[in-house]
């Protein structure tokens, strides 16, 4: 019985550890890379206007060039 409980505990703890590492990795990738792309933010439902203001202040905004015809 003790071996079964130890096996269940080790399985559960390893799953929690893996999920925590995946969540930490996703957070770091989001924070340092993916949050810069408007397309990814729109996919995840973040459509706040304050993010565009922050982009303007940090210089991450690229103005769209309009064609003259």
């Amino acid at each position: 019985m003790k071996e079964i409980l130890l096996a269940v505990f080790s399985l559960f703890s390893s799953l929690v550890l893996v999920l925590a590492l995946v969540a930490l990795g996703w957070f770091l990738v989001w924070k340092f890379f993916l949050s810069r792309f408007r397309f990814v933010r729109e996919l995840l439902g973040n459509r706040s206007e304050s993010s565009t203001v922050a982009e303007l202040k940090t210089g991450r905004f690229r103005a769209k060039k309009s064609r003259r015809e």
Side-chain angles (χ1 to χ4, degrees):
M1 181 70 178
K2 188 176 181 180
E3 292 176 1
I4 293 173
L5 288 176
L6 186 61
V8 169
F9 176 73
S10 63
L11 179 66
F12 180 72
S13 61
S14 62
L15 284 175
V16 168
L17 180 66
V18 167
L19 290 176
L21 288 175
V22 167
L24 177 67
W26 173 255
F27 174 75
L28 291 175
V29 167
W30 170 259
K31 192 71 175 170
F32 294 114
F33 183 70
L34 289 178
S35 63
R36 296 179 185 176
F37 299 103
R38 184 174 298 170
F39 175 71
V40 177
R41 287 193 317 256
E42 287 178 2
L43 282 177
L44 296 175
N46 186 2
R47 296 178 183 225
S48 64
E49 292 298 321
S50 63
S51 64
T52 57
V53 172
E55 286 176 350
L56 287 171
K57 289 181 181 177
T58 60
R60 292 182 180 166
F61 178 76
R62 292 186 199 161
K64 293 182 181 178
K65 295 181 181 179
S66 60
R67 286 191 210 170
R68 289 186 168 184
E69 294 184 36

